[in-house]
Amino acid sequence: MRRAAHQLLDEPRVFDDPLAVAITDGESERPPDAGQPFSRSLRAFIAVRSRYAEDQLARAVERGVRQYVVLGAGLDTFAYRNPFQSAGLHVFEVDHPATQEWKRARLDAVCIAVPKELTFAAIDFERESLEDGLMKAGFDQHQPAFFSWLGVTPYLSRPAFDATVEFIAGLPAGSGLVFDFAVERSLLSPKQQLALDALAMRVARAGEPFQLFFDPAALGSDLARLGFGNIENLNCDQINARYFAGRSDGLAVSGGAHLLSCEVARASSDFAGCP
């Protein structure tokens, strides 16, 4: 709904998603708090993280990647507007079976066709691993792949996070990953702490509390030990400088969320994670 609101309320758009309004079927695509500073910042971040992921995906396609895995896909619409179909990019949407069933009903209801270049990888992580689920869906672990993992990591345990990045790190060189993450509260400014606390209260009331926070420097070191290179870790100021500079409407991100991209440079089994 926030991506849909961005299409309707913000000009120029940071992220063009012509299917966002359609897939919500016009339901609540304008949040009642849309004009409030917190809501505008959240909307900006949700839009820009998708833009950043697709910018990095385009670079991966340029270097020859032809598999794109959307982890926790939800109502992501990339596969239905895939500009790299002619290049042979195949998309795997990974999500819980019940969530995928709901999404497919939404797609049917608004007449969005499922392309042949898309595979739904329904995975119940209580019963099978990401690797097993992807292999069953036809993923080729001998070829490089690019992964986006948006709006997921704050809700995970550290072992669950580690297992996913370890799997991706074991794929061929040139594979890549983009994800967003929350910074440890003690490392935030007082204003950023207030923004984090407000969002944490909202998600906790919804029954999905935040669990996982990172020290950005330590996270970068962990990923490097695992074999990732070309690590880019953007804080809010850096995101705003790249994507929101010069706007007359003041739309920008705030708080302590980060966007990170990295590329598999070598195979490694040295990842220790954090205690």
Side-chain angles (χ1 to χ4, degrees), residues 11-198:
E11 185 64 38
R13 299 184 192 110
V14 170
F15 177 61
D16 286 311
D17 185 349
L19 299 179
V21 175
I23 204 168
T24 64
D25 198 24
E27 296 177 8
S28 303
E29 70 271 14
R30 292 175 183 258
D33 61 348
Q36 299 300 315
F38 174 83
S39 181
R40 295 185 79 233
S41 176
L42 180 59
R43 182 169 79 242
F45 184 72
I46 288 173
V48 78
R49 71 186 183 191
S50 291
R51 165 70 181 277
Y52 182 69
E54 294 187 18
D55 283 353
Q56 298 303 313
L57 170 64
R59 294 182 175 91
V61 172
E62 287 179 357
R63 63 178 183 259
V65 172
R66 294 296 182 266
Q67 297 183 108
Y68 179 36
V69 181
V70 187
L71 298 173
L75 292 179
D76 187 271
T77 65
F78 175 85
Y80 316 94
R81 49 182 175 78
N82 178 1
F84 306 114
Q85 284 182 339
S86 61
L89 182 69
H90 194 91
V91 183
F92 296 85
E93 287 193 0
V94 176
D95 220 326
H96 189 278
T99 303
Q100 288 196 340
E101 182 179 353
W102 167 70
K103 180 176 186 174
R104 298 185 77 159
R106 295 294 317 127
L107 293 168
D108 287 343
V110 297
C111 299
I112 296 176
V114 176
K116 68 180 187 304
E117 297 85 3
L118 167 64
T119 299
F120 291 100
I123 301 176
D124 183 345
F125 286 98
E126 293 184 1
R127 301 187 179 190
E128 62 184 323
S129 68
L130 173 61
E131 180 177 6
D132 290 342
L134 281 175
M135 297 308 106
K136 188 168 62 176
F139 178 83
D140 186 351
Q141 62 183 329
H142 302 296
Q143 297 297 322
F146 185 84
F147 290 71
S148 67
W149 201 14
L150 304 179
V152 176
T153 66
Y155 305 98
L156 301 177
S157 67
R158 184 60 194 248
F161 173 86
D162 289 352
T164 298
V165 293
E166 285 173 352
F167 168 69
I168 296 171
L171 295 175
S175 296
L177 168 66
V178 164
F179 63 94
D180 56 331
F181 68 91
V183 175
E184 291 180 2
R185 191 178 187 278
S186 62
L187 299 177
L188 300 177
S189 69
K191 184 177 180 180
Q192 290 173 329
Q193 289 179 356
L194 289 174
L196 173 62
D197 292 346

